[in-house]
Amino acid sequence: MSMKANGKAIDYSGSGNAAADKGSNRSHPASHVISANRFNLMMFRDITYGPQEAELRFRLLHFWEARVPVKNTLLGLELLLIDEQGTVIKGFITPGRINKFRPRLRKGALYSLVNFYGSRSNGEFRVAAHNVTVSFAHHSELSVIEDSPVAFPDNHFRFYSYEEFEANCDAKGDLYDVVGHMKLVNGQSMIGKPTIEVSEVATSRRMVVHIQPHEGPVMKLYLWDNAAIEFCQKFRAFESPPSVVLVTTVNPKRLGGTLALSSMSSSRVFFDGDVQPTRDYLAWLVSHPDVVNQVNAEVVTKRETATIGEIFAYMKQESAKPAFFECTATIDDVVHDAAWYYIGCGGCKTKATRGATSLMCGKCGKNDITGEAQYLAKLSVYDKSEEAVFVLLGDAGTELTGKPAAELVRNYFEANEDKEAGTHVPVPEALLSTVGQTHHFSVKVSQHNLSGKSRSLTVTKILPLPAPPTEEPLLTADGDGVILEGSEGSATMGAKELGDGTEFGNSKRVKRGD
């Protein structure tokens, strides 16, 4: 295990077995020796561009399919390889050669590859630091190594801290790994075993996990496609819920102004005792039991960005709980047949009740309070997906109009001195002038909504409008755009990384910005 100069990103290569690791470090042959089949044995660190008549020996850590999104066109098979010195490199097999090599591929097995082509690795979304990709050529020969006198590392990880993920948001650079303890799984607390249905995950192809690396901030981790399936299957196999999760090659994104990590097709999922880093983390967690009970409410309850249609769909889910969402919508009208304000307690703002001679507050327990007008306006709004009624309460109304409800009511009576207290106050121009405006709302889905008694959503805050979309590809269920290369010096191809060799159908998925 080695640490970068900044002391944060950790690079781990090892078998999890001290004796094996020691043997691996002890036996590092020269870069070019004559192998049993009379080809030069080459270490990964010495691979250069162009055709190579040499032998590589390595452990296959992982492999996955690369496909064009939506069209689902297969572009090739990508591999993650590690040699005996712990150097990691990416491999690539073109579609025409997959049938030749794929039947022999087994994750974790040792291989010998004779004759290959060194292709230039693209700088975006790299799964390995090496600037060369090992492309399988037409005359490449792949064979399994049954008994190796040399120990090869069982795995390789590159960890980033929260600060480093934050600093590299949307940078499209190298993909690093994350390890931490889970706080929420699909919104469910880790106290008791969260319920995860394989069928639901297979349909949605998405999971959201809140993880906390050591005592740092809680982060949202979005798992897509095969990573979501792998998480679900492994998680359900535990009798009691695991505590620690490690996900490889995640892409840091800024969603709704907050750091989020998104899995890629190259991502793998590990839990408590699966690999050495998770075992080390679990040991640390056991020795720090107070950390398990820490709650970072600001992050855990971070509002999701959604359309009105998506919010309504969420309300129909059996597992739905009260939650906050962010939603951009246009105001179509102000409902006129309902009061746009109420008289509340000047202290706690709870609706006041009228006694024989004074106003009373049930919450404060006072029988003589000073009443103050508070917003209770109903707005008819819409977006591209659906229409809804938003109920504007309290300070949210002031944020929308720029004026407190009490001031607007007072202005009305000052301008209409002949009107008595209790007279119906018409909807003021400050509210009517918002018709046609588009705003970014924070809305609450309450238990009242989940019980089916009301579809009206309460506005809790008016937020700044999100920045207009750029030309960059949106975050989708497939991960982010990745440039793949053909073998033998062919032209590069624009693509997205998909799958790890497991088929889950060809259904199209809607782009998301959550």
Side-chain angles (χ1 to χ4, degrees):
M1 185 178 295
S2 60
M3 188 169 291
K4 291 174 65 176
N6 60 15
K8 294 179 182 177
I10 297 177
D11 188 359
Y12 175 93
S13 295
S15 64
N17 181 293
D21 290 342
K22 183 178 179 181
S24 176
N25 293 331
R26 187 171 58 240
S27 180
H28 286 167
S31 297
H32 297 280
V33 299
I34 302 299
S35 65
N37 54 26
R38 297 186 176 279
F39 282 91
N40 287 337
L41 182 61
M42 182 180 290
M43 297 293 107
F44 284 175
R45 67 185 183 189
D46 299 312
I47 298 176
T48 57
Y49 303 126
Q52 310 281 334
E53 292 186 353
E55 180 187 9
L56 300 178
R57 295 176 183 174
F58 55 82
R59 186 183 298 279
L60 174 60
L61 298 180
H62 188 40
F63 65 94
W64 61 95
E65 291 182 347
R67 293 180 177 270
V68 175
V70 182
K71 292 183 179 180
N72 207 34
T73 305
L74 179 64
L75 290 174
L77 202 64
E78 294 195 317
L79 309 90
L80 192 63
L81 318 173
I82 188 168
D83 69 6
E84 62 190 72
Q85 295 183 342
T87 304
V88 175
I89 200 168
K90 188 179 80 172
F92 184 76
I93 303 174
T94 56
R97 296 176 188 137
I98 289 180
N99 289 339
K100 175 183 177 181
F101 295 107
R102 186 168 185 168
R104 311 177 201 177
L105 300 181
R106 298 290 183 270
K107 295 178 184 178
L110 300 179
Y111 292 91
S112 166
L113 178 68
V114 174
N115 297 324
F116 59 94
Y117 191 93
S119 302
R120 188 180 300 275
S121 293
N122 186 272
E124 294 187 348
F125 304 107
R126 296 196 309 176
V127 296
H130 209 298
N131 58 6
V132 178
T133 294
V134 174
S135 294
F136 286 45
H138 66 92
H139 61 310
S140 294
E141 298 177 14
L142 181 70
S143 58
V144 177
I145 300 175
E146 298 293 351
D147 297 302
S148 173
V150 179
F152 286 75
D154 284 342
N155 240 313
H156 175 87
F157 302 101
R158 302 189 297 169
F159 295 108
Y160 252 2
S161 65
Y162 173 88
E163 291 78 14
E164 287 173 311
F165 278 125
E166 182 74 44
N168 287 276
C169 263
D170 303 302
K172 301 180 182 179
D174 282 20
L175 300 175
Y176 281 81
D177 312 327
V178 65
V179 63
H181 56 284
M182 294 174 283
K183 308 294 287 188
L184 297 174
V185 174
N186 276 357
Q188 302 177 66
S189 171
M190 292 300 295
I191 301 175
K193 189 174 184 178
T195 302
I196 305 174
E197 295 298 333
V198 175
S199 58
E200 292 181 7
V201 176
T203 301
S204 67
R205 307 171 73 88
R206 172 182 182 267
M207 291 193 67
V208 183
V209 182
H210 288 77
I211 66 170
Q212 183 178 11
H214 292 98
E215 297 183 75
V218 176
M219 296 185 287
K220 272 187 180 178
L221 173 61
Y222 290 85
L223 300 176
W224 304 104
D225 296 326
N226 295 337
I229 295 291
E230 183 181 5
F231 181 99
C232 176
Q233 292 175 338
K234 288 185 174 181
F235 190 94
R236 285 169 54 89
F238 283 83
E239 292 186 7
S240 57
S243 301
V244 178
V245 66
L246 186 161
V247 180
T248 66
T249 61
V250 294
N251 181 25
K253 301 285 292 182
R254 194 170 302 284
L255 305 176
T258 300
L259 169 67
L261 305 178
S262 177
S263 71
M264 303 290 278
S265 60
S266 54
S267 296
R268 294 172 290 159
V269 179
F270 302 97
F271 288 108
D272 291 358
D274 289 346
V275 290
Q276 193 59 47
T278 54
R279 292 192 286 269
D280 291 343
Y281 192 103
L282 184 61
W284 175 87
L285 194 62
V286 170
S287 65
H288 295 77
D290 55 312
V291 174
V292 179
N293 299 320
Q294 289 179 359
V295 177
N296 188 328
E298 179 183 354
V299 179
V300 171
T301 60
K302 173 67 183 176
R303 297 177 294 266
E304 296 274 2
T305 299
T307 65
I308 295 174
E310 288 173 331
I311 296 174
F312 284 160
Y314 172 81
M315 289 162 51
K316 294 178 182 179
Q317 296 178 9
E318 292 185 4
S319 60
K321 298 179 181 180
F324 291 88
F325 291 88
E326 291 182 9
C327 178
T328 299
T330 301
I331 300 173
D332 182 59
D333 198 4
V334 180
V335 179
H336 290 259
D337 59 357
W340 63 271
Y341 72 97
Y342 69 95
I343 301 300
C345 171
C348 68
K349 299 182 180 180
T350 301
K351 186 175 182 180
T353 55
R354 187 175 297 279
T357 58
S358 64
L359 293 175
M360 301 180 293
C361 176
K363 184 175 181 180
C364 295
K366 297 180 180 179
N367 296 323
D368 187 8
I369 63 169
T370 300
E372 187 176 77
Q374 302 289 341
Y375 279 101
L376 183 62
K378 293 184 178 180
L379 308 177
S380 176
V381 303
Y382 66 91
D383 65 9
K384 293 181 180 180
S385 68
E386 185 64 275
E387 298 176 329
V389 173
F390 283 2
V391 180
L392 199 65
L393 283 179
D395 293 339
T398 304
E399 293 168 354
L400 179 67
T401 65
K403 295 183 178 181
E407 178 183 338
L408 297 177
V409 172
R410 184 170 60 252
N411 290 345
Y412 174 80
F413 283 108
E414 288 177 354
N416 298 271
E417 296 180 354
D418 58 323
K419 303 294 183 180
E420 297 180 358
T423 300
H424 171 72
V425 179
V427 177
E429 180 61 28
L431 270 175
L432 295 175
S433 64
T434 65
V435 173
Q437 296 179 3
T438 299
H439 292 274
H440 197 55
F441 300 89
S442 171
V443 297
K444 180 181 180 181
V445 173
S446 66
Q447 191 61 48
H448 205 59
N449 297 127
L450 300 178
S451 65
K453 296 179 180 178
S454 174
R455 278 167 57 95
S456 297
L457 300 172
T458 300
V459 177
T460 61
K461 195 172 183 63
I462 307 297
L463 305 167
L465 279 170
T470 66
E471 295 301 317
E472 296 181 14
L474 295 176
L475 176 69
T476 70
D478 303 330
D480 231 319
V482 176
I483 303 300
L484 297 177
E485 299 169 352
S487 65
E488 303 185 31
S490 61
T492 59
M493 300 174 286
K496 290 189 178 181
E497 293 193 77
L498 280 176
D500 64 353
T502 307
E503 296 291 345
F504 290 102
N506 300 331
S507 59
K508 296 181 180 180
R509 292 174 293 283
V510 180
K511 288 187 176 182
R512 304 178 63 90
D514 55 354

